[in-house]
Amino acid sequence: MKQDVFGQMNTLTQPASVEAWDGVLLGFMAHAAVTPQHLGKVLELEPDFALGHAIKGLFMVLLGRREMIAVAAEALTAANAAMERQPVSDREKLYVEALAMYMADLPTQAVQKFEEILRAHPTDTLAMKLSHATRFVLGDSHGMRRSIERVMPAYEPDHAGRGYLLGCHSFALEETGAYEKAEIAGRQALWMVSDDAWGLHAVAHVHEMTGNAQLGLDWLAGREDAWAHCNNFRYHVWWHKALMRLDLGQVDQVMALYDHHIRQDKTDDYRDISNATSLLSRLELEGVDVGNRWEELADLSAARTEDGCLIFADLHYLLALTGDNRSDATSKILHRIQSDAQRNQGDTPIRMSDPGVAAAKGLEAFGEGLYGQAFDFLSDARGGMQLAGGSHAQRDVFERITIDSGLRAGRLDAVERILDDRRAKRSGGEDNYALARRALIEAARDNGDAQSVPAE
């Protein structure tokens, strides 16, 4: 048994494998691009390291890609076989059990395995981050916060994971509306660990949610080193920068960020697709011609119509398909979502059903110019959109489409209520998007016209 950088004991035997495992742990915390190489080295040196196989599987399922499920299943098989050959601690076994829960489409139960680890080992930063990441995908922001705040008293000031813990706490605080505390925690996290891209981006979220785009740009300026080392998460930080530029009306700079950073690499990772599709959707809602940029996203999304891993991913694939008028692929993914919603096993069908079906139908209707139908469907989905996962900032694209469909359908009073609710969730702050829509409502009322606000 060897101790890792976070003070936990693992069934490793060689100093080189311990060093590589520490690389996995620290890399996962920092969203580092080199993390898979460290994990590969660990498993090469110690093929019977059950925890390493379990973590490989958990990394695979968190990618939200159908083809990775088979890889995760192989990792689970390898982990179980390793445990037969080499006894493991109760803590390590719980990670394997968490992967098994994921493979049974029960991520809500996987979370409970991580929490069981944390009850016995509150400073296990790996379990903390996995619980945080899984709850994020599940849309459980209050659970994220509770989990972190339960273990926080156990962390000494010099614990190697404390900075990353604070970065996660910052994000959980922001997602539960505690914006001032979130900013303090995020700044402290980055001060403690300079590569904490998650903490850095949590503070960017604070500025997004409080309508302070310029402050957000000022925060990110000069801090590129905090996310330059990242895997595809770096595209997401650039996306935040683009949102801030868009709010300030700097469309040319938004386009440059899109072309040279956000979609410089034409990946089909659902998180990268979500960055791109949501940004293009926001631009089009502002009347900006995005050229042929939908085409490559639609090509990639058309190949994902049968994926069905996450409703969050599916809805962003739909943005691409409707954005490029791919009616056949749109119909395919909509039918598959409806079919998935009818399954009676696992956690995924619950979210495919609500908010999935109504949200998908709303996006389809919006793409077809049926704004009244779009508004009705998207309004029905609004109450459950948190369960789609992701952040408030990411889900805001669906809120904006709901608002704009309502404006175009002449539902001014209903739209105003949504804008009021949106403002309340942002502690009274409003961005320029909301202010512009309020101005449209006021102008329509001044003209005595409750008819639709024209599309840009």
Side-chain angles (χ1 to χ4, degrees):
M1 297 286 284
K2 300 286 187 182
Q3 189 176 63
D4 65 36
V5 65
F6 296 138
Q8 306 306 313
M9 301 303 295
N10 304 286
T11 50
L12 293 169
T13 61
Q14 305 175 48
S17 57
V18 174
E19 181 181 357
W21 181 241
D22 286 346
V24 174
L25 298 178
L26 293 170
F28 181 47
M29 299 307 134
H31 297 256
V34 297
T35 308
Q37 287 92 311
H38 288 303
L39 183 55
K41 178 79 175 295
V42 173
L43 294 176
E44 178 186 342
L45 291 171
E46 309 227 15
D48 287 342
F49 183 39
L51 176 56
H53 290 292
I55 293 306
K56 178 181 178 179
L58 288 165
F59 286 176
M60 292 300 104
V61 292
L62 284 169
L63 290 174
R65 299 163 66 86
R66 177 60 54 190
E67 66 269 26
M68 292 297 103
I69 300 300
V71 181
E74 290 173 3
L76 178 59
T77 299
N80 283 321
M83 288 195 298
E84 289 291 326
R85 293 189 293 267
Q86 177 174 267
V88 300
S89 66
D90 290 342
R91 168 184 162 271
E92 292 171 297
K93 186 179 180 183
L94 283 167
Y95 280 103
V96 180
E97 292 176 0
L99 176 57
M101 291 297 100
Y102 251 113
M103 297 309 298
D105 190 25
L106 293 169
T108 52
Q109 296 302 309
V111 166
Q112 297 311 312
K113 297 295 181 180
F114 300 136
E115 293 301 324
E116 191 174 343
I117 294 168
L118 291 171
R119 282 193 290 274
H121 306 275
T123 57
D124 186 344
T125 313
L126 176 61
M128 179 278 297
K129 182 75 169 179
L130 284 167
S131 178
H132 185 78
T134 304
R135 290 180 187 275
F136 173 64
V137 171
L138 293 171
D140 183 12
S141 56
H142 291 283
M144 282 195 297
R145 183 170 172 180
R146 286 194 305 271
S147 176
I148 292 164
E149 291 177 353
R150 275 195 295 265
V151 302
M152 189 169 284
Y155 277 74
E156 297 293 338
D158 61 348
H159 188 279
R162 183 169 173 80
Y164 300 112
L165 174 80
L166 289 173
C168 290
H169 192 214
S170 173
F171 184 73
L173 287 165
E174 179 275 322
E175 286 297 297
T176 52
Y179 299 121
E180 290 183 11
K181 290 180 180 178
E183 182 173 0
I184 292 169
R187 286 178 176 273
Q188 187 178 0
L190 206 64
W191 175 75
M192 293 188 74
V193 277
S194 62
D195 65 355
D196 183 21
W198 191 253
L200 171 106
H201 117 287
V203 176
H205 272 269
V206 170
H207 295 308
E208 161 71 18
M209 291 300 291
T210 53
N212 291 309
Q214 189 57 56
L215 286 177
L217 289 171
D218 292 345
W219 164 248
L220 292 175
R223 290 187 167 91
E224 287 80 7
D225 285 349
W227 78 85
H229 65 279
C230 286
N231 50 27
N232 64 318
F233 185 65
R234 68 185 185 276
Y235 307 133
H236 183 67
V237 183
W238 287 113
W239 174 81
H240 274 283
K241 202 164 189 175
L243 294 190
M244 296 163 187
R245 294 291 185 193
L246 180 59
D247 194 59
L248 296 173
Q250 300 168 355
V251 173
D252 288 346
Q253 294 186 56
V254 175
M255 290 299 198
L257 286 167
Y258 183 94
D259 292 336
H260 300 304
H261 292 290
I262 296 166
R263 288 305 287 171
Q264 179 183 24
D265 301 317
K266 305 294 194 267
T267 72
D268 69 342
D269 186 294
Y270 84 87
R271 293 160 296 189
D272 305 337
I273 297 291
S274 72
N275 292 332
T277 56
S278 65
L279 183 55
L280 293 186
S281 295
R282 285 170 165 87
L283 283 162
E284 288 197 335
L285 292 177
E286 298 306 318
V288 177
D289 182 356
V290 301
N292 64 354
R293 290 176 177 83
W294 281 118
E295 187 176 346
E296 64 102 2
L297 299 172
D299 286 344
L300 295 172
S301 297
R304 292 282 167 190
T305 57
E306 298 303 314
D307 223 55
C309 290
L310 297 169
I311 187 59
F312 180 87
D314 285 340
L315 294 178
H316 285 91
Y317 297 146
L318 262 172
L319 289 180
L321 297 173
T322 57
D324 203 45
N325 300 312
R326 304 286 183 93
S327 56
D328 288 347
T330 296
S331 180
K332 282 182 182 178
I333 196 169
L334 185 56
H335 285 133
R336 202 224 70 241
I337 291 170
Q338 292 174 307
S339 176
D340 286 350
Q342 300 302 313
R343 297 202 326 259
N344 56 12
Q345 289 185 328
D347 291 337
T348 300
I350 298 169
R351 286 161 171 76
M352 291 290 174
S353 175
D354 181 18
V357 172
K361 287 181 176 179
L363 295 179
E364 180 188 41
F366 187 82
E368 293 175 353
L370 303 172
Y371 299 121
Q373 286 185 34
F375 185 71
D376 289 340
F377 281 126
L378 290 168
S379 295
D380 286 345
R382 266 192 89 236
M385 281 306 295
Q386 176 86 27
L387 293 176
S391 67
H392 290 303
Q394 289 175 305
R395 292 188 301 272
D396 191 52
V397 67
F398 306 117
E399 190 89 318
R400 292 181 184 216
I401 293 171
T402 305
I403 289 166
D404 275 44
S405 62
L407 287 174
R408 296 175 190 186
R411 313 283 185 85
L412 303 185
D413 291 346
V415 168
E416 190 170 47
R417 286 192 293 272
I418 294 175
L419 286 168
D420 289 345
D421 183 54
R422 186 176 183 270
R423 179 172 59 192
K425 289 174 181 174
R426 293 165 177 254
S427 290
E430 289 204 286
D431 51 18
N432 287 320
Y433 166 83
L435 295 174
R437 271 58 187 177
R438 289 189 185 278
L440 287 172
I441 292 172
E442 185 177 353
R445 286 175 174 160
D446 286 346
N447 292 332
D449 180 13
Q451 299 303 307
S452 62
V453 177
E456 296 286 354

